[in-house]
Coordinates of all heavy atoms in Angstrom, one line a residue:
Q477 N 93.5 79.9 83.1 CA 93.5 81.1 83.9 C 94.4 82.2 83.2 O 94.0 83.4 83.2 CB 93.9 80.8 85.3 CG 93.9 81.9 86.2 CD 94.3 81.6 87.6 OE1 95.1 80.7 87.8 NE2 93.9 82.3 88.6
W478 N 95.5 81.8 82.7 CA 96.5 82.8 82.2 C 95.9 83.6 81.0 O 96.0 84.8 81.0 CB 97.7 82.0 81.7 CG 98.8 82.9 81.2 CD1 99.1 83.2 79.9 CD2 99.8 83.6 82.0 NE1 100.2 84.1 79.9 CE2 100.6 84.3 81.2 CE3 100.0 83.7 83.4 CZ2 101.7 85.1 81.6 CZ3 101.1 84.4 83.9 CH2 101.9 85.1 83.0
P479 N 95.1 83.0 80.1 CA 94.6 83.8 79.0 C 93.6 84.9 79.5 O 93.4 85.9 78.8 CB 93.8 82.8 78.1 CG 94.5 81.5 78.4 CD 94.9 81.6 79.9
Q480 N 92.9 84.7 80.6 CA 92.0 85.6 81.1 C 92.6 86.7 82.0 O 91.9 87.7 82.3 CB 90.9 84.9 81.9 CG 89.9 84.2 81.0 CD 90.5 82.8 80.6 OE1 91.2 82.2 81.3 NE2 90.1 82.4 79.4
M481 N 93.9 86.6 82.3 CA 94.5 87.5 83.2 C 94.8 88.8 82.4 O 95.1 88.8 81.2 CB 95.8 87.0 83.7 CG 95.6 85.8 84.7 SD 97.2 85.0 85.1 CE 97.8 86.1 86.3
S482 N 94.7 89.9 83.1 CA 95.1 91.2 82.6 C 96.6 91.3 82.4 O 97.3 90.5 83.0 CB 94.6 92.4 83.5 OG 95.4 92.4 84.7
F483 N 97.0 92.3 81.7 CA 98.5 92.5 81.5 C 99.1 92.7 82.9 O 100.2 92.1 83.1 CB 98.7 93.8 80.7 CG 100.2 94.2 80.7 CD1 101.1 93.6 79.9 CD2 100.6 95.2 81.6 CE1 102.4 94.0 79.9 CE2 101.9 95.6 81.6 CZ 102.8 95.0 80.8
R484 N 98.6 93.5 83.7 CA 99.1 93.8 85.1 C 99.2 92.5 85.9 O 100.2 92.2 86.6 CB 98.3 94.8 85.8 CG 98.8 95.2 87.2 CD 100.3 95.6 87.3 NE 100.6 96.7 86.3 CZ 101.8 97.0 86.0 NH1 102.9 96.4 86.6 NH2 102.1 98.0 85.2
E485 N 98.2 91.6 85.8 CA 98.2 90.4 86.6 C 99.3 89.4 86.0 O 100.0 88.8 86.8 CB 96.8 89.7 86.5 CG 95.8 90.4 87.2 CD 94.4 89.8 86.9 OE1 94.1 89.5 85.8 OE2 93.6 89.8 87.9
R486 N 99.5 89.4 84.7 CA 100.5 88.6 84.1 C 101.9 89.1 84.5 O 102.8 88.4 84.9 CB 100.4 88.5 82.6 CG 99.2 87.7 82.1 CD 99.3 87.7 80.6 NE 98.1 87.1 80.1 CZ 97.9 86.6 78.9 NH1 98.9 86.8 78.0 NH2 96.8 86.1 78.5
W487 N 102.0 90.4 84.4 CA 103.3 91.0 84.8 C 103.7 90.7 86.2 O 104.8 90.4 86.5 CB 103.2 92.6 84.5 CG 104.5 93.3 84.6 CD1 105.4 93.5 83.6 CD2 105.2 93.7 85.8 NE1 106.5 94.2 84.1 CE2 106.4 94.3 85.4 CE3 104.8 93.7 87.2 CZ2 107.2 94.9 86.4 CZ3 105.7 94.3 88.1 CH2 106.9 94.9 87.7
T488 N 102.7 90.9 87.1 CA 102.9 90.6 88.5 C 103.3 89.1 88.7 O 104.2 88.8 89.5 CB 101.7 91.0 89.3 OG1 101.4 92.4 89.1 CG2 101.9 90.7 90.8
A489 N 102.6 88.2 88.1 CA 102.9 86.8 88.2 C 104.3 86.5 87.8 O 105.1 85.7 88.5 CB 101.9 86.0 87.4
I490 N 104.8 87.1 86.7 CA 106.1 86.8 86.2 C 107.1 87.4 87.1 O 108.2 86.8 87.4 CB 106.3 87.3 84.7 CG1 105.4 86.5 83.8 CG2 107.8 87.3 84.3 CD1 105.3 87.1 82.4
N491 N 106.8 88.6 87.6 CA 107.7 89.3 88.6 C 107.9 88.5 89.8 O 109.0 88.3 90.3 CB 107.2 90.7 88.9 CG 108.2 91.5 89.7 OD1 109.3 91.7 89.3 ND2 107.8 91.9 90.9
N492 N 106.8 87.9 90.4 CA 106.8 87.1 91.5 C 107.6 85.8 91.3 O 108.4 85.4 92.1 CB 105.4 86.7 92.0 CG 104.7 87.9 92.6 OD1 105.3 88.9 93.0 ND2 103.4 87.9 92.6
F493 N 107.5 85.3 90.1 CA 108.2 84.1 89.7 C 109.7 84.4 89.7 O 110.5 83.6 90.3 CB 107.8 83.6 88.3 CG 108.7 82.5 87.8 CD1 108.6 81.2 88.3 CD2 109.7 82.7 86.9 CE1 109.4 80.2 87.9 CE2 110.5 81.7 86.4 CZ 110.4 80.4 86.9
L494 N 110.1 85.5 89.2 CA 111.5 85.9 89.2 C 112.1 86.1 90.6 O 113.2 85.8 90.9 CB 111.8 87.1 88.3 CG 111.6 86.9 86.8 CD1 111.7 88.2 86.0 CD2 112.7 85.9 86.3
L495 N 111.2 86.7 91.4 CA 111.7 86.9 92.8 C 111.9 85.6 93.5 O 112.9 85.4 94.2 CB 110.6 87.7 93.6 CG 110.5 89.2 93.2 CD1 109.3 89.8 93.9 CD2 111.7 90.0 93.6
E496 N 111.0 84.6 93.3 CA 111.2 83.3 93.9 C 112.4 82.6 93.3 O 113.1 81.9 94.0 CB 109.9 82.5 93.8 CG 108.7 83.0 94.6 CD 109.1 83.1 96.1 OE1 109.6 82.0 96.6 OE2 108.8 84.1 96.7
L497 N 112.5 82.7 92.0 CA 113.6 82.0 91.3 C 115.0 82.6 91.8 O 115.9 81.8 92.0 CB 113.5 82.2 89.8 CG 114.5 81.5 88.9 CD1 114.4 80.0 89.0 CD2 114.4 82.0 87.5
S498 N 115.0 83.9 92.0 CA 116.3 84.5 92.5 C 116.7 84.0 93.9 O 117.8 83.8 94.2 CB 116.1 86.0 92.5 OG 116.0 86.5 91.2
K499 N 115.7 83.6 94.7 CA 116.0 83.0 96.0 C 116.6 81.7 95.9 O 117.3 81.2 96.8 CB 114.7 82.9 96.8 CG 114.0 84.2 97.2 CD 112.7 83.9 97.9 CE 112.0 85.2 98.2 NZ 110.7 85.0 98.9
E500 N 116.4 81.0 94.7 CA 117.0 79.7 94.5 C 118.2 79.7 93.6 O 118.5 78.7 93.0 CB 115.9 78.8 93.9 CG 114.7 78.6 94.7 CD 115.0 77.9 96.1 OE1 115.9 77.0 96.1 OE2 114.3 78.3 97.1
R501 N 118.9 80.8 93.6 CA 120.0 81.0 92.7 C 121.1 79.9 92.9 O 121.5 79.3 91.9 CB 120.7 82.4 92.9 CG 121.9 82.6 92.0 CD 122.4 84.1 92.3 NE 123.5 84.4 91.4 CZ 124.8 84.2 91.7 NH1 125.2 83.6 92.8 NH2 125.7 84.6 90.8
E502 N 121.4 79.6 94.1 CA 122.5 78.6 94.4 C 122.0 77.2 93.8 O 122.8 76.5 93.3 CB 122.8 78.5 95.8 CG 123.9 77.5 96.2 CD 125.2 77.8 95.4 OE1 125.5 79.0 95.1 OE2 126.0 76.8 95.2
V503 N 120.8 76.9 94.0 CA 120.3 75.6 93.5 C 120.4 75.6 92.0 O 120.8 74.6 91.4 CB 118.8 75.4 94.0 CG1 118.2 74.1 93.3 CG2 118.7 75.2 95.5
M504 N 120.0 76.7 91.4 CA 120.1 76.7 89.9 C 121.5 76.7 89.4 O 121.8 76.0 88.4 CB 119.4 78.0 89.4 CG 117.9 78.0 89.7 SD 117.0 76.7 89.0 CE 117.1 77.0 87.3
V505 N 122.4 77.4 90.1 CA 123.8 77.3 89.7 C 124.4 75.9 89.9 O 125.0 75.4 88.9 CB 124.6 78.3 90.6 CG1 126.1 78.1 90.4 CG2 124.3 79.8 90.2
Q506 N 124.0 75.3 91.0 CA 124.5 73.9 91.2 C 123.9 73.0 90.1 O 124.6 72.1 89.6 CB 124.0 73.4 92.5 CG 124.8 74.0 93.7 CD 126.2 73.5 93.8 OE1 126.6 72.4 93.4 NE2 127.1 74.4 94.3
T507 N 122.7 73.2 89.7 CA 122.1 72.4 88.6 C 122.8 72.6 87.3 O 123.1 71.6 86.6 CB 120.6 72.7 88.5 OG1 119.9 72.4 89.8 CG2 119.9 71.9 87.4
L508 N 123.1 73.8 87.0 CA 123.8 74.1 85.7 C 125.2 73.4 85.7 O 125.7 72.9 84.7 CB 123.9 75.6 85.5 CG 122.7 76.3 85.1 CD1 122.9 77.8 85.2 CD2 122.2 75.9 83.7
M509 N 125.8 73.4 86.9 CA 127.1 72.8 87.0 C 127.0 71.3 86.9 O 127.8 70.7 86.2 CB 127.8 73.2 88.4 CG 128.2 74.6 88.5 SD 128.6 75.2 90.1 CE 129.9 74.1 90.5
W510 N 126.0 70.7 87.5 CA 125.9 69.3 87.5 C 125.4 68.7 86.1 O 125.9 67.8 85.6 CB 124.9 68.9 88.6 CG 124.7 67.4 88.7 CD1 123.6 66.7 88.2 CD2 125.5 66.4 89.2 NE1 123.7 65.4 88.4 CE2 124.9 65.2 89.1 CE3 126.8 66.4 89.9 CZ2 125.5 64.0 89.5 CZ3 127.3 65.3 90.3 CH2 126.7 64.0 90.1
E511 N 124.3 69.3 85.6 CA 123.6 68.8 84.4 C 124.4 69.2 83.1 O 124.4 68.4 82.2 CB 122.2 69.4 84.4 CG 121.3 68.9 85.5 CD 121.0 67.4 85.3 OE1 120.9 66.9 84.2 OE2 120.8 66.8 86.4
I512 N 125.0 70.3 83.1 CA 125.6 70.8 81.8 C 127.1 70.8 81.9 O 127.8 70.9 80.9 CB 125.0 72.2 81.5 CG1 123.5 72.1 81.4 CG2 125.6 72.7 80.2 CD1 122.9 73.5 81.1
G513 N 127.6 70.7 83.1 CA 129.1 70.7 83.3 C 129.7 72.1 83.2 O 130.9 72.2 82.9
K514 N 128.9 73.1 83.5 CA 129.5 74.4 83.6 C 130.3 74.6 84.8 O 130.0 74.0 85.9 CB 128.4 75.5 83.5 CG 127.7 75.6 82.2 CD 126.8 76.8 82.2 CE 126.2 76.9 80.8 NZ 126.9 77.8 79.9
N515 N 131.4 75.5 84.7 CA 132.1 75.8 86.0 C 131.2 76.8 86.7 O 130.3 77.4 86.2 CB 133.5 76.3 85.7 CG 133.5 77.6 84.9 OD1 132.8 78.5 85.2 ND2 134.3 77.6 83.8
R516 N 131.5 77.0 88.0 CA 130.7 77.9 88.9 C 130.6 79.3 88.3 O 129.5 79.9 88.2 CB 131.3 78.0 90.3 CG 130.6 79.0 91.1 CD 130.9 78.9 92.6 NE 130.4 77.8 93.2 CZ 129.1 77.6 93.6 NH1 128.2 78.6 93.4 NH2 128.6 76.6 94.1
K517 N 131.7 79.9 87.8 CA 131.6 81.3 87.3 C 130.7 81.4 86.1 O 129.9 82.3 86.0 CB 133.1 81.7 86.9 CG 133.1 83.1 86.4 CD 134.6 83.5 86.0 CE 134.6 84.9 85.4 NZ 136.0 85.2 84.9
D518 N 130.8 80.4 85.2 CA 129.9 80.4 84.0 C 128.4 80.2 84.4 O 127.5 80.8 83.8 CB 130.4 79.4 83.0 CG 131.7 79.8 82.3 OD1 132.0 81.0 82.4 OD2 132.3 79.0 81.6
A519 N 128.2 79.3 85.3 CA 126.8 79.0 85.8 C 126.2 80.2 86.4 O 125.1 80.5 86.2 CB 126.8 77.8 86.7
E520 N 127.0 80.9 87.3 CA 126.5 82.1 88.0 C 126.2 83.2 86.9 O 125.1 83.8 87.0 CB 127.5 82.6 89.0 CG 127.6 81.7 90.2 CD 128.7 82.1 91.1 OE1 129.7 82.8 90.7 OE2 128.7 81.7 92.3
A521 N 127.1 83.3 86.0 CA 126.9 84.3 84.9 C 125.7 84.0 84.1 O 124.9 85.0 83.8 CB 128.1 84.4 84.1
E522 N 125.4 82.8 83.8 CA 124.3 82.4 83.0 C 123.0 82.7 83.7 O 122.0 83.3 83.2 CB 124.3 81.0 82.5 CG 123.1 80.6 81.7 CD 123.3 79.2 81.0 OE1 124.4 78.7 81.0 OE2 122.2 78.7 80.6
F523 N 122.9 82.3 85.0 CA 121.7 82.6 85.8 C 121.5 84.1 85.9 O 120.4 84.5 85.6 CB 121.9 82.0 87.2 CG 120.7 82.2 88.0 CD1 119.6 81.3 88.0 CD2 120.6 83.3 88.8 CE1 118.5 81.6 88.7 CE2 119.5 83.5 89.6 CZ 118.4 82.7 89.5
D524 N 122.5 84.8 86.2 CA 122.3 86.3 86.4 C 121.9 87.0 85.1 O 121.1 87.8 85.1 CB 123.6 86.9 87.0 CG 123.9 86.4 88.4 OD1 123.0 85.9 89.1 OD2 125.1 86.6 88.8
R525 N 122.5 86.5 84.0 CA 122.2 87.1 82.7 C 120.8 86.8 82.3 O 120.1 87.7 81.8 CB 123.2 86.5 81.7 CG 123.2 87.1 80.3 CD 124.3 86.6 79.4 NE 124.3 85.1 79.3 CZ 125.3 84.4 79.8 NH1 126.3 85.0 80.5 NH2 125.3 83.1 79.7
T526 N 120.3 85.6 82.6 CA 119.0 85.2 82.2 C 117.9 86.0 83.0 O 117.0 86.6 82.5 CB 118.7 83.7 82.4 OG1 119.7 83.0 81.6 CG2 117.3 83.3 82.1
V527 N 118.2 86.2 84.3 CA 117.2 86.9 85.2 C 117.3 88.4 84.8 O 116.2 89.0 84.6 CB 117.6 86.8 86.7 CG1 116.8 87.7 87.5 CG2 117.3 85.3 87.1
E528 N 118.4 88.9 84.5 CA 118.5 90.3 84.1 C 117.8 90.6 82.7 O 117.1 91.6 82.6 CB 120.0 90.8 83.9 CG 120.2 92.2 83.5 CD 121.6 92.7 83.5 OE1 122.5 92.0 84.0 OE2 121.8 93.7 82.8
F529 N 117.9 89.6 81.8 CA 117.3 89.7 80.5 C 115.7 89.8 80.7 O 115.0 90.6 80.2 CB 117.6 88.6 79.6 CG 116.8 88.5 78.3 CD1 117.1 89.4 77.3 CD2 115.8 87.6 78.2 CE1 116.3 89.3 76.2 CE2 115.0 87.5 77.1 CZ 115.2 88.4 76.0
C530 N 115.2 88.9 81.6 CA 113.8 88.8 81.8 C 113.3 90.1 82.4 O 112.3 90.7 82.1 CB 113.5 87.7 82.8 SG 113.7 86.0 82.1
R531 N 114.1 90.7 83.3 CA 113.7 92.0 84.0 C 113.7 93.1 83.0 O 112.8 94.0 83.0 CB 114.6 92.3 85.1 CG 114.4 91.3 86.3 CD 114.9 91.9 87.6 NE 114.7 90.9 88.7 CZ 113.5 90.6 89.2 NH1 112.4 91.1 88.8 NH2 113.5 89.7 90.2
K532 N 114.7 93.1 82.0 CA 114.7 94.2 81.0 C 113.5 94.0 80.1 O 112.9 95.1 79.7 CB 116.0 94.1 80.2 CG 117.2 94.6 81.0 CD 118.5 94.6 80.2 CE 119.6 95.1 81.0 NZ 120.9 95.1 80.3
V533 N 113.2 92.8 79.7 CA 112.0 92.6 78.8 C 110.7 93.1 79.6 O 109.9 93.8 79.0 CB 111.9 91.1 78.4 CG1 110.5 90.9 77.7 CG2 113.0 90.8 77.5
M534 N 110.6 92.8 80.8 CA 109.5 93.2 81.6 C 109.4 94.7 81.7 O 108.3 95.3 81.7 CB 109.5 92.5 83.0 CG 109.2 91.1 83.0 SD 109.3 90.3 84.6 CE 108.0 91.2 85.5
D535 N 110.5 95.3 81.9 CA 110.6 96.8 82.0 C 110.1 97.4 80.7 O 109.3 98.4 80.7 CB 112.0 97.3 82.3 CG 112.0 98.8 82.6 OD1 111.3 99.2 83.4 OD2 112.8 99.4 81.9
V536 N 110.5 96.9 79.5 CA 110.1 97.4 78.3 C 108.6 97.2 78.1 O 107.8 98.1 77.7 CB 110.8 96.7 77.1 CG1 110.2 97.0 75.8 CG2 112.3 97.2 77.1
M537 N 108.1 96.0 78.4 CA 106.7 95.8 78.3 C 105.8 96.6 79.2 O 104.8 97.1 78.9 CB 106.4 94.3 78.6 CG 107.0 93.4 77.5 SD 106.7 91.7 77.9 CE 104.9 91.6 77.5
E538 N 106.4 96.9 80.4 CA 105.6 97.7 81.4 C 105.4 99.1 80.9 O 104.4 99.8 81.2 CB 106.3 97.7 82.7 CG 105.5 98.4 83.8 CD 106.2 98.4 85.2 OE1 107.4 98.3 85.2 OE2 105.5 98.4 86.1
H539 N 106.4 99.7 80.2 CA 106.4 101.1 79.8 C 106.1 101.3 78.3 O 106.0 102.5 77.9 CB 107.8 101.7 80.1 CG 108.0 101.7 81.6 ND1 108.8 100.8 82.2 CD2 107.5 102.5 82.6 CE1 108.8 101.0 83.5 NE2 108.0 102.1 83.8
D540 N 105.9 100.3 77.5 CA 105.6 100.4 76.1 C 104.1 100.2 75.8 O 103.7 99.1 76.1 CB 106.5 99.4 75.3 CG 106.4 99.7 73.8 OD1 105.4 100.2 73.3 OD2 107.3 99.3 73.1
P541 N 103.4 101.2 75.4 CA 102.0 101.0 75.1 C 101.7 99.9 74.1 O 100.6 99.3 74.2 CB 101.5 102.4 74.6 CG 102.7 103.3 74.6 CD 103.9 102.5 75.0
D542 N 102.6 99.6 73.2 CA 102.4 98.5 72.3 C 102.2 97.1 73.0 O 101.7 96.2 72.4 CB 103.5 98.4 71.2 CG 103.4 99.6 70.3 OD1 102.3 100.2 70.1 OD2 104.5 99.9 69.7
Y543 N 102.7 97.0 74.2 CA 102.5 95.8 74.9 C 101.5 95.8 76.0 O 101.3 94.9 76.8 CB 103.9 95.4 75.6 CG 104.9 95.0 74.6 CD1 105.9 95.8 74.2 CD2 104.9 93.7 74.0 CE1 106.9 95.5 73.2 CE2 105.8 93.3 73.0 CZ 106.8 94.2 72.7 OH 107.7 93.9 71.7
G544 N 100.7 96.9 76.0 CA 99.7 97.0 77.0 C 100.1 97.5 78.4 O 99.5 97.3 79.4
G545 N 101.3 98.1 78.4 CA 101.9 98.6 79.7 C 101.1 99.8 80.3 O 100.1 100.2 79.8
A546 N 101.8 100.4 81.3 CA 101.1 101.4 82.1 C 100.8 102.6 81.2 O 99.9 103.4 81.5 CB 102.1 101.9 83.2
D547 N 101.5 102.8 80.1 CA 101.3 104.0 79.2 C 100.3 103.7 78.1 O 100.3 104.4 77.1 CB 102.6 104.5 78.7 CG 103.5 104.9 79.8 OD1 103.1 105.4 80.9 OD2 104.8 104.7 79.7
A548 N 99.6 102.6 78.2 CA 98.7 102.2 77.1 C 97.5 103.1 76.9 O 96.8 103.0 75.9 CB 98.3 100.8 77.3
G549 N 97.2 104.0 77.8 CA 96.1 104.9 77.6 C 94.8 104.2 77.6 O 93.9 104.7 76.9
G550 N 94.6 103.2 78.3 CA 93.4 102.5 78.4 C 93.1 101.5 77.2 O 92.1 100.8 77.2
A551 N 94.0 101.4 76.3 CA 93.9 100.4 75.2 C 94.0 99.0 75.8 O 94.8 98.8 76.6 CB 94.9 100.7 74.1
H552 N 93.2 98.2 75.3 CA 93.3 96.8 75.7 C 93.7 95.9 74.5 O 93.2 96.0 73.5 CB 91.9 96.3 76.2 CG 91.4 97.0 77.4 ND1 91.9 96.8 78.6 CD2 90.5 98.0 77.5 CE1 91.4 97.6 79.5 NE2 90.5 98.4 78.8
R553 N 94.7 95.1 74.8 CA 95.3 94.2 73.8 C 95.4 92.8 74.3 O 95.5 92.7 75.5 CB 96.6 94.7 73.3 CG 96.6 96.0 72.6 CD 98.1 96.4 72.3 NE 98.2 97.6 71.6 CZ 98.1 98.9 72.1 NH1 98.0 99.0 73.4 NH2 98.2 99.9 71.3
R554 N 95.3 91.9 73.5 CA 95.5 90.5 73.9 C 96.7 89.9 73.2 O 96.8 90.1 72.0 CB 94.2 89.7 73.6 CG 93.1 90.0 74.5 CD 92.2 88.8 74.4 NE 92.3 88.2 75.7 CZ 91.2 87.7 76.3 NH1 90.1 87.6 75.7 NH2 91.4 87.2 77.5
Y555 N 97.5 89.3 73.9 CA 98.7 88.6 73.3 C 98.7 87.2 73.7 O 98.4 86.8 74.8 CB 100.0 89.3 73.8 CG 100.2 90.7 73.4 CD1 99.7 91.7 74.1 CD2 100.7 90.9 72.2 CE1 99.8 93.0 73.7 CE2 100.9 92.3 71.7 CZ 100.4 93.3 72.5 OH 100.6 94.6 72.0
R556 N 99.0 86.3 72.8 CA 99.0 84.9 73.0 C 100.5 84.6 73.3 O 101.4 85.0 72.6 CB 98.5 84.1 71.8 CG 97.1 84.4 71.5 CD 96.6 83.4 70.7 NE 96.0 82.4 71.6 CZ 94.8 81.9 71.4 NH1 94.2 82.1 70.3 NH2 94.3 81.0 72.2
A557 N 100.6 83.8 74.3 CA 102.0 83.3 74.7 C 102.3 82.0 74.1 O 101.4 81.2 73.7 CB 102.1 83.2 76.2

């Protein structure tokens, strides 16, 4: 299903995933603390930094025609993940 999705559908799916993941921040922080031995401050920073990075990448992709974003002018591109 993913390969047949348009850029906008993929972007929306990833955005929805990040929204749901953000709701589970505390669970993820606890997991980082338990599994990797990070202290709370470092685990929170890692989670927040990762989500922020994903959002910045999505913003670039959304506005950069080279990635098929909103300004692509009707051009259709296919990218393999």
Side-chain angles (χ1 to χ4, degrees):
Q477 185 181 27
W478 187 261
Q480 288 77 34
M481 293 172 79
S482 68
F483 168 81
R484 178 57 51 196
E485 290 169 324
R486 288 182 187 198
W487 189 94
T488 299
I490 294 169
N491 188 57
N492 289 340
F493 172 77
L494 289 174
L495 290 172
E496 292 301 313
L497 185 65
S498 294
K499 293 177 187 177
E500 301 297 327
R501 181 179 185 268
E502 181 58 28
V503 172
M504 297 300 294
V505 167
Q506 290 289 330
T507 301
L508 289 168
M509 291 169 58
W510 179 259
E511 295 291 329
I512 303 174
K514 290 188 176 267
N515 63 49
R516 175 168 287 282
K517 182 180 176 186
D518 288 345
E520 290 172 339
E522 182 171 341
F523 181 86
D524 295 341
R525 187 174 52 248
T526 300
V527 170
E528 182 178 342
F529 172 77
C530 291
R531 292 204 182 285
K532 285 182 180 181
V533 169
M534 288 178 62
D535 186 56
V536 168
M537 292 179 74
E538 183 178 33
H539 296 97
D540 188 333
D542 289 338
Y543 290 102
D547 301 326
H552 297 284
R553 294 176 176 84
R554 287 202 112 143
Y555 293 93
R556 296 198 96 135

